[in-house]
């Protein structure tokens, strides 16, 4: 009887441990907000290429691998490229016609409120209202080269 209890305990422990597993494609390093907030300096997590917490939601639609499409285009090399101009991705008309280059200013506007910037965009994301979080996201996008 007691050995059965041990087996049950082991099985439960195993289940609990597997529940703790982070999703493999999410950078859990970013779970430490202190580290991420220190992203300004070269020693900061963002400078090392760790994704800030606020980037987590982007991953449900964007890969950071070159050439990999999820729902949205790959964000590899996105900083500095022309909006709506990644070969092989079918952008909405407004994105293609924007004529904008994705830099600090345009990315900040975009991430604050995509629909306000490009009406009719297919990016189903309401926007990030916190300027500091947008800054962290943009700093991270710059490392994707
Ligand atoms: C629900 C899915 C979804 C989420 C969440 C999402 N995006 Fe997007 N994103 C898209 C789609 C779809 C497009 C293409 C839009 C179009 O063609 O109108 C896009 C376009 C973009 C572009 C323009 C790329 C280019 O080459 O022109 C950038 C930059 C971008 N997203 C960044 C982000 C970031 C950063 C986040 C998180 C803060 C995010 N997105 C969240 C779906 C999403």
């Amino acid at each position: 009887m007691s050995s059965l209890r041990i087996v049950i305990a082991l099985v439960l422990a195993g289940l609990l441990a597997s529940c703790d597993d982070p999703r493999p494609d999410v950078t859990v390093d970013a779970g430490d907000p202190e580290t991420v907030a220190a992203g300004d300096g070269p020693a900061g997590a963002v400078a090392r290429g760790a994704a800030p917490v606020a980037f987590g939601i982007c991953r449900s639609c964007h890969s950071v691998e070159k050439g990999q499409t999820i729902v949205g285009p790959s964000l590899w090399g996105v900083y500095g490229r022309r909006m709506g101009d990644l070969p092989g991705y079918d952008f909405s008309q407004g994105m293609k016609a924007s004529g904008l280059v994705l830099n600090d200013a345009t990315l900040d506007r975009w991430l604050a409120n995509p629909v306000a910037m490009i009406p009719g965009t297919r990016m189903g994301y309401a926007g990030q209202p916190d300027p500091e979080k947008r800054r962290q996201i943009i700093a991270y996008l710059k490392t994707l080269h």
Side-chain angles (χ1 to χ4, degrees), residues 61-81:
C61 297
H62 290 283
S63 169
V64 297
E65 300 299 321
K66 189 175 182 177
Q68 207 173 83
T69 299
I70 304 181
V71 176
S74 165
L75 294 181
W76 189 89
V78 73
Y79 189 90
R81 84 181 172 214

Side-chain angles (χ1 to χ4, degrees), residues 10-69:
L10 286 174
V11 168
L12 285 177
L15 285 175
L16 286 176
S18 61
C19 288
D20 276 348
D21 276 351
R23 281 168 49 198
D25 59 339
V26 172
T27 309
V28 281
D29 196 16
D32 177 2
E34 307 278 33
T35 321
V36 174
D40 258 336
V46 170
R48 288 198 307 269
V53 176
F55 189 75
I57 190 170
C58 318
R59 288 184 187 273
S60 48
C61 297
H62 290 283
S63 169
V64 297
E65 300 299 321
K66 189 175 182 177
Q68 207 173 83
T69 299

Side-chain angles (χ1 to χ4, degrees), residues 58 61-62 81 84 89 91-92 95 110 121-125:
C58 318
C61 297
H62 290 283
R81 84 181 172 214
Y89 185 83
F91 287 95
S92 62
M95 300 283 286
W110 174 245
T121 179
R122 288 195 286 263
M123 172 147 139
Y125 174 69

